[in-house]
Amino acid sequence: MIKQKTLLHWLGLLGVTAFISYAVAVIFSPLAYPDYDWIRQAVSDLSADNAPSRTLWVQLSSLYYPASIVGVMAVCIAVQGKYTKLIRLGIYLFAIMGWVSAVGFAAFPLTEGGTGGGTLQDTMHMVVTGVVVILSLTSLLILTIGGLRQKTFISLGVCAVVALFLMLIGPIGMAFPEYFGLFQRFSNMISANGFGAILGIMLFIGRFD
């Protein structure tokens, strides 16, 4: 018998919505930035204060933060009091990372493309980036360990370890400036946002029931 889906299940699809909104912004915002080189430049250059693509970026990514936050909080509610402490902790840290990202990057966008213009706002942008990276890596590592330890939830551990691997590709790009944008997209769009979509799908299909 197919179990009837609740509102909580349907909220999981917001994780997929967030991923699509972000991916669309990453793919199409460069159309408003004639000299943008996606292989070399970071995604954050597209939303910098002085970027010609900022308006288009804001429009295309308008669903990203609301959908990602609501989606991951729905997952937090679904796992409350269930599974192991490691799995719950990993998901909670991933949710905190989402909040820090949503509030931090909205409050402190780069003033200029690249590393910014050296202002306090740019410094805070880098601080937020560092916190987001640390929370992302920590949550994925914890979910990798927690998921692989629980036989009924190995799929979560496998997805987490793949996302963790893809996220570690990003820093490697710092050694290859001409390809930094390409490397960053693995750690940014595919890893963190992709894992958020996977959590949403797992919630929707009832894996957290």
Side-chain angles (χ1 to χ4, degrees), residues 73-96:
M73 292 308 295
V75 176
C76 288
I77 294 172
V79 301
Q80 188 175 15
K82 302 177 184 177
Y83 312 111
T84 65
K85 290 182 178 179
L86 278 179
I87 289 178
R88 294 198 304 272
L89 176 61
I91 289 176
Y92 295 160
L93 286 176
F94 192 81
I96 292 172

Side-chain angles (χ1 to χ4, degrees), residues 96-176:
I96 292 172
M97 178 277 295
W99 277 100
V100 172
S101 177
V103 176
F105 289 133
F108 304 109
L110 284 176
T111 58
E112 299 178 11
T115 57
T119 66
L120 176 60
Q121 178 173 314
D122 295 315
T123 300
M124 291 305 299
H125 181 91
M126 296 305 172
V127 170
V128 171
T129 299
V131 174
V132 168
V133 170
I134 291 173
L135 287 172
S136 297
L137 291 175
T138 303
S139 63
L140 290 174
L141 179 60
I142 290 174
L143 285 170
T144 295
I145 298 172
L148 294 179
R149 278 184 177 180
Q150 187 163 338
K151 293 181 179 180
T152 58
F153 234 140
I154 292 179
S155 58
L156 178 64
V158 171
C159 290
V161 75
V162 171
L164 182 61
F165 172 76
L166 291 174
M167 182 163 289
L168 291 174
I169 290 179
I172 297 176
M174 298 179 69
F176 305 94

